[in-house]
Every structure is written in C-alpha cells, then in structure tokens.
C-alpha cells in the first residue's frame, strides 16, 4: 500500500486515510478525523475553501504535485496544520488531518501537549495533531511513503462499510461551508467538536 492509493478524488482519499497511522519519529497516531479539500476551478474538484483554489503559489505548490506528500501550514499564526496531498500528480487536492489517537510515544506527546487533560485530547483538533507529532513547517514537502522519511504514513485496510464512517460539514470555513467533506470514526473519543465559522452563511432552518 502506497501513495498511488491516494491518487483519487478528495472524498475517497479522505476515507482511505481514516484508520491509517501517521508516524513522526517515535510518536505514532491513528487517524480518526479528516477533511477533504479540492482544487482550482480548472481542475475536476473546484473548491473555493481550498488553499489551491486560486492556483499554485509557493505556499500551496505541493498540493499540485503527487499524492502522499506532507502539506504543512500555519493557522492563525500559531497552529501547525498537517495535510496529506491526494489526487493525480498535477491535480490539486489534499486531506487535512483533524484528529487522531496517539498509539506510540505517549510520554513524548504528553510532554508536547501538557494542557491536554486526557490522552484523547492529545491530538484532538488539527493544531493539536501537529503539536503532538512534533511536525513543523520544516517538514513541508516530506514524502510520507519514502523508505527513509522521518515522517511516514502507514495505510490500514480500507474501511468498506461506509456506515462505519460519519460525515458532515467542514469546520471553520466560510466558503462551501456545508459541503459534507468532513469524515470521522464515530466511536473514537479523539474526534473534535464541530464549530461552524461565524463568517459562513447561516443555515436555513424550518419554522
């Protein structure tokens, strides 16, 4: 199992990452929550909420490259968010890792996240994923399936029972806010809470 399994459309890539293990040095994390993001209007999956929507830039260039590469960026100037590129080489898309369960290196993750009240809190939320794994902007562009990579992605058997996966709107985006491209494993205590962006259009509710 390798990067070629992520050379697919965003939602399928997101489903494929659920249950996978992301390892950064001695710390391992089982992925339990993700968000899919597409690309620019010229591509097959236009997505106004994606960093790639306006085309390639120095910041988002890896999104337009091959699948299985680490895309890291700062959110609000303080949180390191971890993404895995997907789709065929040359077509932009990526999957944001929103939450995970620490499976190895618990003591290291706890030292990195002293504010976490429980182990389930260690990597709950995308900023905490980066902190618990010790991933920084210097890791941008890491090939996650390379044999000598310090950060590796190990795919688990694909979850074929779609009833075992919950879906809903993405968190914190103001554009395409109701696109159900957030996926999670409902039985995991590490899944984060849904928070709608205050800048997103209000939902129409029945009277």
């Amino acid at each position: 199992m390798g990067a070629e399994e992520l050379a697919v459309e965003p939602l399928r890539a997101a489903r494929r990452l659920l249950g996978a293990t992301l390892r950064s040095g001695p710390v391992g994390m089982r992925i339990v929550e993700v968000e899919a993001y597409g690309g620019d209007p010229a591509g097959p999956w236009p997505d106004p909420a994606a960093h790639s929507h306006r085309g390639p830039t120095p910041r988002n260039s890896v999104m337009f490259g091959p699948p299985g590469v680490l895309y890291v960026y700062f959110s609000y100037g303080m949180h390191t968010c971890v993404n895995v590129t997907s789709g065929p080489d040359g077509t932009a898309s990526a999957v944001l890792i929103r939450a995970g369960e620490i499976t190895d290196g618990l003591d290291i993750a706890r030292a990195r996240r002293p504010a976490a009240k429980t182990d389930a809190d260690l990597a709950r939320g995308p900023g905490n994923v980066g902190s618990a794994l010790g991933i920084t902007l210097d890791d941008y562009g890491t090939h996650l399936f390379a044999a000598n990579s310090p950060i590796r992605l190990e795919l688990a058997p694909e979850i074929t029972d779609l009833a075992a996966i919950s879906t809903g709107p993405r968190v914190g985006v103001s554009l395409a806010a109701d696109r159900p491209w957030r996926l999670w494993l409902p039985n995991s205590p590490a899944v984060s809470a849904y928070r709608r962006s205050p800048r997103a259009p209000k939902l129409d509710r029945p009277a």
Side-chain angles (χ1 to χ4, degrees):
M1 293 186 287
E4 68 279 358
E5 295 201 43
L6 301 178
V8 293
E9 55 90 11
L11 265 183
R12 186 175 175 189
R15 286 196 298 268
R16 192 69 189 86
L17 287 173
L18 284 173
T21 297
L22 186 60
R23 298 189 184 277
S24 178
V27 180
M29 184 194 77
R30 177 176 177 255
I31 299 170
V32 300
E33 181 185 0
V34 294
E35 277 180 351
Y37 286 89
D40 58 289
W45 311 300
D47 184 358
H51 289 175
S52 54
H53 184 67
R54 295 185 179 181
T57 67
R59 182 198 192 198
N60 67 22
S61 60
V62 296
M63 290 185 72
F64 291 83
V69 177
L70 200 63
Y71 171 43
V72 186
Y73 64 86
F74 262 151
S75 176
Y76 301 107
M78 55 189 290
H79 300 298
T80 301
C81 293
V82 177
N83 302 256
V84 178
T85 62
S86 57
D89 192 356
T91 303
S93 67
V95 179
L96 171 67
I97 310 302
R98 283 203 54 86
E101 300 168 352
I102 301 300
T103 56
D104 297 286
L106 263 173
D107 289 346
I108 297 172
R110 288 169 183 154
R112 289 171 174 166
R113 290 270 297 118
K117 295 180 180 180
T118 69
D119 287 347
D121 294 328
L122 289 171
R124 178 186 287 128
N128 294 332
V129 167
S131 296
L133 291 174
I135 293 176
T136 71
L137 290 180
D138 290 337
D139 297 311
Y140 178 100
T142 298
H143 286 256
L144 298 172
F145 291 94
N148 61 347
S149 175
I151 305 173
R152 290 184 53 80
L153 181 65
E154 301 169 359
L155 296 177
E158 186 170 4
I159 300 173
T160 56
D161 179 10
L162 298 186
I165 298 174
S166 295
T167 63
R170 294 178 293 192
V171 176
V173 297
S174 58
L175 300 173
D178 297 312
R179 190 176 292 188
W181 279 17
R182 173 177 167 245
L183 295 78
W184 65 94
L185 300 179
N187 293 328
S188 172
V191 172
S192 68
Y194 172 69
R195 292 183 176 87
R196 187 176 181 84
S197 169
R199 296 176 290 121
K202 293 184 178 180
L203 288 171
D204 291 330
R205 299 186 184 277

